[in-house]
Amino acid sequence: RQVIHPGRFRCPAAEPVAIAEQPGELVQRVPRRAGNLRHHLPQALLSAAPGSRAAGPPVCGPVAFRACNLHGVALQRGNTIPGDMPMIVPTDAELDALSQATGARLLAARQMLVTAESCTGGWIAKAVTDVAGSSAWFDCGMAVYSYEAKQAMLGVNPHTLEIHGAVSRECVVEMVSGALVHSGATIAVAVTGIAGPGGGTEDKPVGTVWVAWKRRGGYPRAELCHFDGDRDAVRRQTVAAALRGLEHQLAFASASS
């Protein structure tokens, strides 16, 4: 297993992060520039405001996460996460286990999945279809690298790409919504980012990834991720974040019904 100790991962804030004990509770006061810290909360999704279900862009500064079953680690209320905690890149076996768990939830919920992928190039679809019987819960996958493909296959507005770029909340929300429009699926995940080694900028460095999830008839939820490591590491973490987010979406929907 590859373990990375990236400088950008270090959280300089003085106050600790309090962990929610139950799904749907909130992790209070995630410090400024927490970066990859949130990906030790892999099934966590940003809320627009504490207690809100509306999707909103992640921000630097105090934000709120919904948390559940954090990376298989029994984190209880009052525990803290150290600022220099190493980031772990998921192995093939771990991605397979995530795919199987996601498939089981999709099957139980009678949901069909569609994936819309840019930086992962179809890896999420590959991971889930490695699971035997995935035809019962996987509809299709779209690998949309170019602007033209995003427009033609997902209906992303050219104005969105021109103003905000492909790696943006606006783009990933249109991608995840378009995936549902152009498929027979009932739940979607979309990813767009900069896997590297080139292509990064000061505002959007290598490892910047947006992930979004949406159920048919529901509102999209988007999360901004900052991954470290090489191209393979960034893509692996993106696949894992996408699958964990799907699990959370399904668990939250089940708990709310």
Side-chain angles (χ1 to χ4, degrees):
R1 172 182 289 191
Q2 184 180 3
V3 179
I4 301 173
H5 296 264
R8 191 167 74 227
F9 175 73
R10 183 170 181 81
C11 176
E15 66 182 49
V17 180
I19 304 302
E21 191 170 26
Q22 297 294 332
E25 291 185 345
L26 297 177
V27 177
Q28 304 294 332
R29 304 286 301 175
V30 178
R32 178 175 174 83
R33 292 188 60 80
N36 280 317
L37 179 61
R38 80 176 113 192
H39 294 289
H40 290 280
L41 314 181
Q43 294 188 12
L45 293 177
L46 283 167
S47 300
S52 170
R53 295 186 184 180
V59 294
C60 289
V63 294
F65 285 92
R66 299 189 184 280
C68 65
N69 189 23
L70 308 180
H71 202 36
V73 179
L75 296 177
Q76 300 299 321
R77 182 182 299 279
N79 284 11
T80 60
I81 298 177
D84 205 19
M85 187 174 178
M87 173 183 61
I88 300 175
V89 178
T91 64
D92 287 343
E94 288 167 335
L95 291 180
D96 182 63
L98 275 172
S99 298
Q100 292 191 45
T102 300
R105 282 196 179 274
L106 287 164
L107 186 62
R110 299 182 180 181
Q111 298 289 313
M112 292 293 289
L113 173 66
V114 58
T115 60
E117 306 178 58
S118 185
C119 59
T120 48
W123 196 337
I124 301 169
K126 189 267 183 190
V128 297
T129 55
D130 279 346
V131 179
S134 54
S135 60
W137 44 267
F138 181 74
D139 183 56
C140 64
M142 307 175 195
V144 286
Y145 243 57
S146 68
Y147 276 23
E148 292 77 13
K150 290 178 175 67
Q151 294 172 50
M153 297 177 68
L154 298 174
V156 174
N157 193 317
H159 182 75
T160 299
L161 295 167
E162 180 182 352
I163 300 300
H164 302 286
V167 183
S168 64
R169 180 182 185 274
E170 291 77 7
C171 181
V172 80
V173 165
E174 291 190 23
M175 286 174 64
V176 78
S177 298
L180 288 172
V181 170
H182 296 279
S183 73
T186 55
I187 189 169
V189 61
V191 297
T192 180
I194 305 167
T201 65
E202 184 176 351
D203 291 337
K204 299 177 183 179
V206 170
T208 300
V209 177
W210 277 96
V211 188
W213 304 265
K214 185 179 180 181
R215 290 170 61 102
R216 188 172 295 279
Y219 293 101
R221 294 173 183 264
E223 180 178 352
L224 175 60
C225 310
H226 294 285
F227 298 124
D228 286 276
D230 60 17
R231 183 178 180 83
D232 183 74
V234 169
R235 283 155 55 98
R236 283 178 179 274
Q237 291 168 90
T238 301
V239 174
L243 293 173
R244 288 167 180 146
L246 279 170
E247 282 196 76
H248 174 83
Q249 288 284 303
L250 293 163
F252 186 70
S254 176
S256 301
S257 61

